[in-house]
Amino acid sequence: MNTKKEKVFAYVVMGIYLLFLCWLVLFKLADSIDKIPSMRGINLIPFHYDQLANTRFHRMEILYNILVFVPTGFFFSPFGKRKVISGIIASAILSLCFEILQWIFALGASDITDFITNTAGGALGTFLFFAMGKLFKGHQVKIVCIIGAIIEAIFIILMIVLIFFNN
């Protein structure tokens, strides 16, 4: 990113992504306060589920956790002296903060599996950042920001339509 406008654009897209991520992880996309789940649980055994649990649901949850954290690794990779490490560590710290906040405020079950898969998503995003850097010669942030802004705009429009027609 060369210009100040490009940096501001990247920070805005990243900020909107982080807000969506908070809304998704902490508030489970609730559109009102009374719909925010209130439960407190903790699972410290990786990939451990109740025997009666729906295994397809858990496989999909693992995939979703990885996918939603890919942008985290991508956005945080340019910071720090060791860019690969900083993207992965930032993803792990953010995921750990979400898990702790879920437990403190009883917003869901804190789960080591979520921490592992979120961090894996951040690591995947970090490696994609560097792979795209080789393909696009330093323009990877600009390209991802444009794609991210389009996805965020579509998501905002869909949420407005859903909220408008749901009430």
Side-chain angles (χ1 to χ4, degrees):
M1 289 189 302
N2 300 333
T3 69
K4 187 174 182 174
K5 286 181 183 180
E6 289 175 341
K7 288 181 182 179
V8 169
F9 181 61
Y11 286 129
V12 168
V13 171
M14 179 179 165
I16 292 170
Y17 162 73
L18 291 174
L19 287 173
F20 282 145
L21 193 61
C22 286
W23 185 34
L24 172 68
V25 174
L26 296 177
F27 303 111
K28 314 301 184 248
L29 301 176
D31 60 353
S32 66
I33 292 176
D34 58 321
K35 292 182 182 175
I36 296 173
S38 179
M39 68 171 271
R40 179 178 287 137
I42 191 163
N43 174 27
L44 298 176
I45 303 170
F47 304 97
H48 175 75
Y49 306 106
D50 185 7
Q51 289 180 351
L52 301 175
N54 180 348
T55 55
R56 185 174 188 276
F57 168 80
H58 291 294
R59 283 193 301 256
M60 293 307 293
E61 183 181 26
I62 288 169
L63 178 63
Y64 293 150
N65 283 346
I66 291 170
L67 290 176
V68 300
F69 264 77
V70 167
T72 305
F74 195 94
F75 281 124
F76 287 116
S77 292
F79 303 108
K81 291 180 181 177
R82 296 183 176 155
K83 296 183 185 315
V84 172
I85 304 288
S86 62
I88 296 170
I89 289 175
S91 299
I93 290 170
L94 183 62
S95 178
L96 182 62
C97 288
F98 280 142
E99 296 304 316
I100 290 169
L101 288 171
Q102 282 181 330
W103 190 83
I104 290 171
F105 295 109
L107 294 171
S110 298
D111 193 338
I112 190 71
T113 303
D114 292 347
F115 172 74
I116 292 168
T117 54
N118 293 346
T119 304
L124 179 60
T126 299
F127 293 119
L128 284 173
F129 175 82
F130 291 104
M132 286 182 71
K134 292 184 185 293
L135 289 172
F136 299 110
K137 307 281 190 260
H139 296 287
Q140 69 268 38
V141 173
K142 185 189 299 185
I143 291 167
V144 167
C145 286
I146 291 169
I147 294 168
I150 292 168
I151 292 169
E152 289 169 358
I154 292 168
F155 186 75
I156 290 169
I157 291 167
L158 286 174
M159 292 312 302
I160 290 170
V161 168
L162 288 174
I163 291 170
F164 180 73
F165 287 111
N166 199 18
N167 292 329

